[in-house]
Amino acid sequence: MNTRVGAILAIVMSGTAAVSSAQSTRDLDRMNWMEFREYVPAKVQTVLLPLGTLEPHGVTANGADILAPVAIAREIAPRVNAFVAPVVPYGFTGSMDAYPGAFTVPEDAYRPYIRAVLLGLAKNKFKNIILVNGHGGGQTAVLSSVAAEVGREAGVRTLVVNWWSYASDVTLSVFGQDGGHAGENENAFMMAIDPSLVHKERYSPEMATANPAPGTWSAYPNPSSIGLYKAGEGYPTFNLAKAKEYYAKVNDKMAALIQEVITKWDKAGL
Ligand SMILES: [Zn+2]
């Protein structure tokens, strides 16, 4: 999954600077400080930061919320001329944290940690800090608020994208119905990354529960690790062809949003 970028950077920078033959990655943790200095901010101003958590996901991996945003970031980084920061894997989980293998970092520890990570990216001269978020619940609100705060204070531009929500129209168009937490959409995304991440033989529809309408009921722990956004829709069907189509379309939509927002920031002179 490591993204080789020599050819792409050559295209991006054709007519400008020569490409260092040593430059072979877009991953911040795989490049050395001299490579970083050559590229940021002169040639690369955008960083993609994947964020996830560990929590149960029906018959797919506890780390689905980590694996999905990492895959998205690596897939789209060349298209938006971005580097990829190491993922923040431990997150603010919510009512599924009682399940085996799940972790949660309390909000009072999570918030300042994320703030420090974002400030570190800003200090390293990235102008556009794109948070590719893989987990919902309370984490979305924390990330949106911290990202805006850091943008304001550090004079950088931040964007938070919750991929599964932003891609809900792709879910509808590919599968003909809504998805769910660990439902058709998220299972499909995992299958497209690696089919061995999904254990169809362990699945039964009784594992799923429709998410409660606001104000109706709430339970701790959540009684199911598959939460349907809409009753009767989003049960996994394990169709690999559709999974691949979904994966490609979600990544296209994510890349287009990031490109559009950056272009508009530039045009507005922000
Ligand atoms: Zn998930």
Side-chain angles (χ1 to χ4, degrees), residues 55-57 61 64-65 134-136 163-164 181-182 186:
E55 70 172 8
H57 279 84
D65 294 353
H135 175 63
W163 78 264
W164 71 97
H181 174 266
E186 217 174 4

Side-chain angles (χ1 to χ4, degrees), residues 58-177:
V59 298
T60 189
N62 279 3
D65 294 353
I66 300 167
L67 298 167
V70 168
I72 293 168
R74 286 186 171 156
E75 173 71 27
I76 68 175
R79 303 192 223 171
V80 300
N81 189 31
F83 280 164
V84 179
V87 65
V88 179
Y90 295 97
F92 181 41
T93 292
S95 64
M96 291 189 186
D97 63 358
Y99 282 75
F103 287 74
T104 194
V105 176
E107 186 179 348
D108 60 357
Y110 187 68
R111 177 178 279 270
Y113 182 76
I114 296 302
R115 183 181 151 81
V117 172
L118 299 182
L119 285 170
L121 293 169
K123 176 227 155 213
N124 275 296
K125 304 191 175 121
F126 284 110
K127 177 80 178 155
N128 307 314
I129 302 173
I130 315 298
L131 288 77
V132 183
N133 183 29
H135 175 63
Q139 182 159 309
T140 295
V142 173
L143 296 180
S144 300
S145 125
V146 175
E149 196 177 285
V150 169
R152 195 171 287 118
E153 288 172 24
V156 291
R157 312 186 295 194
T158 62
L159 168 65
V160 182
V161 194
N162 305 296
W163 78 264
W164 71 97
S165 296
Y166 185 59
S168 61
D169 63 328
V170 182
T171 302
L172 285 172
S173 77
V174 173
F175 302 110
Q177 51 179 265

